[in-house]
Amino acid sequence: MSSHHYSPVDAEDLPGSYRYRQKTLQRWRFSMFLSFAAGVVVCMIAYPRLLPCKACAPCEKASPPVNVADVASRAAQIAVSKCPACPACPECQHKPCPACELSCPKIPECPSIAAAPAASQPDDAEVVARHRTKMLARDMVNIAECKPGQVCRADALNRSRVIGQKGITLWMTGLSGSGKTTIAEALERRLLYKLGKNVFRIDGDNLRTGLTKDLGFSPDDRAESVRRASHVAALFSEAGVITMVTLISPYRKDRDAARALHEKQGIPFMEVFMDVPLSVVQARDPKGLYKKVAKGLIKGFTGVDAPYEAPLHAELTLKNSELPVEQCVDQLVMALTAAGALSGHAMPDGLTPPDGGVHINRITTAPEALLARRKEAETLPKVPLTDIDVNWLQVVGEGWAAPLRGFMREGTLVQTLHFNSVLHDPNNVTGDYNSATTDWMQSSFPRERVSSPVPIVLPVTDFTRRQIAGAGAVALTNAAGVALAILRSPEVYELRVRELIHRTFGMTDDEHPYVKELLKPGKDYAVGGEVELLGKITYNDGLDAYRLTAEELRAAFKAKGADVVYAFQTRNPTHAGHAFLMKDSRQKLMARGYKKPVLWLSPLGGWTKASDVPLDVRVKQHQEVMAAGELHPDWTVMAIWPSPMIYAGPTEVQFHAKSRRAGGASYFTVGRDPAGMPYSSDGPGHEEGDDIYHPDHGRYALMSSPGVGGMQFLGFSKVYYDKKDHTMRGKDESRPDDFISISGSKMRKLAALAAKPCPPTIPSDLIASKCIPPGFMVQKGWEIVSDYYIRQKTGDWVPYSKQLGGLPLAPNMRSSAEQPFGKVAFTAHFVGADGAQISPWHNLALYPTASEPSFVNFVCEIPRGVSAKVEIHKSVPYNDLVQDVNKDGSPRYYTYSPSTVNYGAIPQTWEDPHHADAHTGLGGDNDPIDVLQLNEGSCVAGAVQRVRVLGALALVDGGETDWKLLVVDVDAADAPAWRELGDVPAERVNEVREWFRLYKTSDGKPPNEYGLNGEPIDAAAALAVAAETHALWGGAGRARCEFGGEPCWGMEARRSVDWRSAGAAVFALLAVAQLYFIVTAVQRKRRALAAASPKKKR
């Protein structure tokens, strides 16, 4: 048996023992360390050689040298981080730990150079997007962009004026199926076919067949689609096209970028959000896309599984699931109108622009400029204005007849008469056509026309025509001689009045009130030209607060938050029928989508015929209607429209509507027979009282007129009083007996009868019952109207806008504020140094001093340049200065021209009608001697001046001698050194002589004549005439002086006493008489008692 040698074995070295495990783990760790070291060496050698440098990094430059230390460090970090470690075995005594299998991952193989691009290569769309981004971000060099406003391109403002619309981009955004295309198509039809506007629609689906065919639906591609569409839209809009873009454009940043592009180029941009819930568009599903999404056939669909970011500040939001398509289109048209896109004109206040798009304001307001122009006006030839002329001056000066800037030149008048429109050149491409003198051989004309229905002319006499001949400018003066405006480059032409009447009125009726004004004799010419108002025109009649200029009125509308303005014109008091129409019009506008319609209650303020209701009565009545809430002040502005009324029916109403555009009105409420009236006389085919125009023609002509521009109309039919519910409304044909017609004439009769409220049962015959039904008119308003008709003949009314005051008075004059100059009852009385009232005829001396026999006292009645006939009156107490009147009671004016001299009288003289003058053989004119002061400056009414007598003219007026002394004020600062008539320039004498011969011809009277063949007498003879008439004034013959049946000298006798003393004397006499009667009565009583008592016996 072989012997074996066994080494002794420790029990702890046996497998499974704790010591055995520790030794095994130590050997394993040592082997792992060797493996790790070998891995590091391998990586150090192989890693740099296997780097995919050519596929992963640009190869334009050589790779930098490899840092071996860094590579080794990185390899070690990778190895350590990837290699797991066994958890520490807890201290357990003689208990084995759980098995722990440890393995270190292999070193990953570096990808080969050929395989590297395949792992990181982007798809084609990503590559294209990156390239596009890079190209868009690059700097543009060698590019010469033609920007708007530069010479190379017409600016947008002028372009829009020429084509009559303004380019704008409507960016319509919303979910698929939200109605973008449907509403855009309807809007396109409205703009193109009804409004004649150039419009184009850019649709997303159409773009994807061409311009954006290369794009997908990724966020980057959607952004690019929006960018391209916005640039295309900007080009269209800059060209003046109203451009609609219908894109879903889901991302807010992309739409904001489109807006920013437009804003940068100055192009209007309007974001329109189709606010429709997802459930509604899913139900609509016009393209069947939502069904495909539901089936999973389409992924990333906007609004479902892709985002849609709704606008935060869209200009317009259309909840078209709640509104019909037409109403959505209405709102879009409203928005376009407010933006000025449909007119092509600037709209800074959001209201409709005036006709022609140009805001006209010819008022000079700057203090320095106003002072300079007023000084200039003093040096210019004067053109007098009537009340009607002043009204028209206000119309053209404040812009109510835009684009007219003054009285019509002849070419403008011809166009108005034949076309009811005028050519307009807002861009001045035809050489200032709008203000150039008419050129009958002109061949190049503007292409734009604007409405011009009525002639606005300034008639003048032949005398005025010759006075202003060759002047570069003239001053336009009122009846008080105050310059209201300067008219530049005057164009004087023959005024063919009959042609004007027939073309404007289309009828023959010489008694027609406005036609009668036009036919007044003497004014055979007209002056045209642009005006500059010397300040705002005011009338000082208590109503100026309601006279707003066009600019002031627009500001008042905006202050009330108006998004639309509608005008209602009235020249009658407002009754419930009118209020019904105005409130109904407001409801119609709100139904169209307007939020704050504002009513312009627009009483006509200019000249009207005598039978019309006075302006102040209408304004006060309107105030009561507003105060009662019938027309609420929150949405009503009352402002007087300054135009005169010409009663031209369908022609005139077109001007009424056109003019309201200047104040910002977009709508005009029009009823039956606007601006119409009956014939005033019999004529061929008609009788007095027949309607001149058919009641329905005016409204129809207005609503179908080609020249109304953007004005729209709210027509209405006749309204009746409903006896059942006590309101004014349209007639209900199912119960006709419940309705009463209350015409204007019936209302006037009821007012004149002082009709009281009707009983509960309303009678059908209101006139017979003398009652006014409840609810017909605001009670306080009715009281104002009734008071007028009761006191129509005796009241002091403001019939129309007529300037009051303005006539300068001397310090020694006193007048009443209640009866200022301009009213028929105007009176100014003279006072002496002690303040007591005196007569300028009887209490002033003829001669200033006895030592100066060649001088006389001159009392100024009519200053030079004044056209009102003011005179010392013989039949009123103290011979006050009063307004002379015509036979019909109206104020008398010089219609031929303003006075060319300072006109007045000398006191204590009298031209006796019964005394034959030695020079003419005719009696006197029953007046003090008239005086013509020849100074260039103007005197002041009522002033008393020391003047030198130079000569006299023997005027023969109506077969009576009417001496005109020629004098000069030697004390004036600018007094000429004239001592006798030969010193006066002959042309000055001739001018005065002709004026007084012809001045009545413009009133239809024959020319005056002169004695002595029109040759003036010298100073000595003139002083002899003054002395003779002075003797007649103081002689016995003065008892023959009378005026209107009143003895002149009886008046003088009464005026010569002290009224206070006279009154005291009268009261004393009455007291004495009363005492006498008392004493007499007592004595009589005593006698009666004595006679009745028994006699005593003696």
Side-chain angles (χ1 to χ4, degrees), residues 584-745:
D584 183 62
S585 296
R586 186 169 187 268
Q587 293 301 319
K588 289 178 180 178
L589 292 174
M590 295 183 74
R592 297 186 184 186
Y594 292 105
K595 304 300 182 185
K596 190 66 182 293
V598 172
L599 165 66
W600 174 11
L601 182 58
S602 179
L604 181 139
W607 177 91
T608 54
K609 56 187 174 67
S611 61
D612 281 358
V613 180
L615 176 61
D616 59 336
V617 175
R618 288 182 278 132
V619 169
K620 292 175 183 176
Q621 195 268 351
H622 296 337
Q623 288 175 316
E624 294 299 336
V625 172
M626 293 178 64
E630 277 290 297
L631 302 173
H632 203 280
D634 286 351
W635 48 265
T636 303
V637 174
M638 181 174 65
I640 295 172
W641 182 57
S643 175
M645 190 78 185
I646 71 172
Y647 306 96
T651 297
E652 183 178 7
V653 74
Q654 295 177 59
F655 176 67
H656 290 183
K658 160 208 168 70
S659 183
R660 281 357 189 266
R661 287 181 57 188
S666 301
Y667 288 85
F668 187 66
T669 304
V670 57
R672 297 177 76 251
D673 197 21
M677 65 168 291
Y679 280 102
S680 301
S681 62
D682 295 339
H686 70 264
E687 296 180 357
E688 181 181 352
D690 292 345
D691 285 339
I692 298 177
Y693 309 105
H694 189 285
D696 290 328
H697 287 184
R699 177 176 53 196
Y700 180 83
L702 175 62
M703 299 179 77
S704 60
S705 169
V708 297
M711 178 66 76
Q712 301 182 60
F713 305 100
L714 300 168
F716 58 85
S717 56
K718 187 175 180 179
V719 293
Y720 298 82
Y721 181 82
D722 188 345
K723 296 190 296 182
K724 189 173 182 179
D725 61 7
H726 306 304
T727 59
M728 298 290 290
R729 50 178 296 181
K731 181 185 285 188
D732 185 350
E733 296 297 341
S734 65
R735 47 187 185 93
D737 294 340
D738 290 337
F739 291 85
I740 305 175
S741 173
I742 306 179
S743 63
S745 59

Side-chain angles (χ1 to χ4, degrees), residues 85 133 164 406 422 693:
T133 302
V422 294
Y693 309 105

Side-chain angles (χ1 to χ4, degrees), residues 122-396:
D123 59 19
D124 293 342
E126 185 179 352
V127 172
V128 171
R130 289 178 179 176
H131 177 71
R132 184 168 59 235
T133 302
K134 177 181 177 182
M135 294 301 291
L136 291 175
R138 77 189 193 283
D139 294 332
M140 304 299 294
V141 296
N142 302 322
I143 301 296
E145 181 184 7
C146 182
K147 297 181 179 179
Q150 294 179 341
V151 178
C152 58
R153 184 185 300 179
D155 63 276
L157 180 60
N158 285 330
R159 184 190 298 274
S160 62
R161 284 177 175 175
V162 170
I163 65 177
Q165 67 179 63
K166 183 190 296 183
I168 186 173
T169 295
L170 294 179
W171 195 278
M172 297 183 174
T173 177
L175 298 173
S176 177
S178 61
K180 299 183 297 299
T181 301
T182 301
I183 293 175
E185 289 175 348
L187 177 62
E188 186 175 28
R189 288 191 296 270
R190 172 85 66 87
L191 295 177
L192 183 61
Y193 299 125
K194 288 190 176 182
L195 302 179
K197 301 303 176 183
N198 190 5
V199 58
F200 189 75
R201 180 166 53 91
I202 299 175
D203 186 77
D205 287 347
N206 291 345
L207 289 179
R208 290 198 175 275
T209 63
L211 188 62
T212 61
K213 189 175 182 180
D214 59 322
L215 300 178
F217 293 92
S218 67
D220 286 341
D221 281 3
R222 287 181 180 273
E224 176 62 12
S225 176
V226 169
R227 189 191 70 82
R228 294 182 189 180
S230 64
H231 275 276
V232 172
L235 291 173
F236 272 83
S237 297
E238 188 183 343
V241 179
I242 299 171
T243 308
M244 297 177 290
V245 180
T246 54
L247 288 179
I248 294 175
S249 46
Y251 298 112
R252 194 175 297 128
K253 65 179 182 60
D254 299 334
R255 298 192 303 269
D256 290 345
R259 180 190 295 274
L261 170 69
H262 284 71
E263 290 176 350
K264 180 180 179 182
Q265 299 183 18
I267 300 170
F269 182 91
M270 185 181 298
E271 190 173 25
V272 182
F273 175 37
M274 300 298 173
D275 188 4
V276 182
L278 178 62
S279 59
V280 174
V281 298
Q282 287 175 329
R284 290 176 179 175
D285 200 10
K287 303 176 184 178
L289 299 179
Y290 287 100
K291 292 184 179 64
K292 294 181 180 180
V293 172
K295 294 177 182 180
L297 301 178
I298 300 177
K299 299 295 184 181
F301 196 79
T302 302
V304 181
D305 53 355
Y308 176 80
E309 299 170 358
L312 299 178
H313 305 290
E315 281 76 7
L316 185 62
T317 297
L318 294 178
K319 296 180 179 291
N320 63 66
S321 59
E322 304 171 6
L323 300 172
V325 172
E326 283 303 305
Q327 194 165 338
C328 292
V329 173
D330 287 342
Q331 292 193 31
L332 285 165
V333 172
M334 286 162 44
L336 290 172
T337 302
L342 302 186
S343 65
H345 304 300
M347 298 177 62
D349 53 12
L351 301 177
T352 188
D355 209 359
V358 180
H359 293 265
I360 303 297
N361 182 354
R362 308 293 292 174
I363 305 174
T364 304
T365 56
E368 293 182 1
L370 183 58
L371 179 63
R373 283 178 173 79
R374 283 178 174 163
K375 287 183 177 179
E376 179 188 3
E378 294 175 359
T379 67
L380 298 175
K382 308 295 189 292
V383 174
L385 302 177
T386 66
D387 290 341
I388 294 177
D389 296 334
V390 173
N391 295 156
W392 283 127
L393 176 63
Q394 184 179 6
V395 168
V396 296

Side-chain angles (χ1 to χ4, degrees), residues 860-918:
C860 177
E861 294 175 294
I862 308 174
R864 183 177 184 179
V866 173
S867 59
K869 186 70 169 66
V870 181
E871 63 180 9
I872 295 172
H873 208 296
K874 297 191 298 287
S875 67
V876 297
Y878 289 96
N879 307 120
D880 292 340
L881 197 66
V882 300
Q883 170 72 60
D884 195 10
V885 296
N886 297 308
K887 291 181 179 179
D888 62 358
S890 61
R892 184 183 172 195
Y893 299 99
Y894 288 135
T895 57
Y896 187 66
S897 88
S899 176
T900 59
V901 297
N902 289 310
Y903 187 90
I906 53 176
Q908 296 187 356
T909 59
W910 175 50
E911 298 184 78
D912 188 348
H914 304 282
H915 173 75
D917 183 81

Side-chain angles (χ1 to χ4, degrees), residues 104 177 201 214 217 241-242 307 400 486 503 508 622 677 794 800 814 915 999 1021 1045 1059 1083:
C104 196
R201 180 166 53 91
D214 59 322
F217 293 92
V241 179
I242 299 171
W400 300 106
I486 295 175
R503 301 290 308 189
T508 301
H622 296 337
M677 65 168 291
T794 59
Y800 53 84
R814 302 290 183 269
H915 173 75
Y999 78 94
W1059 283 103
Q1083 290 177 347

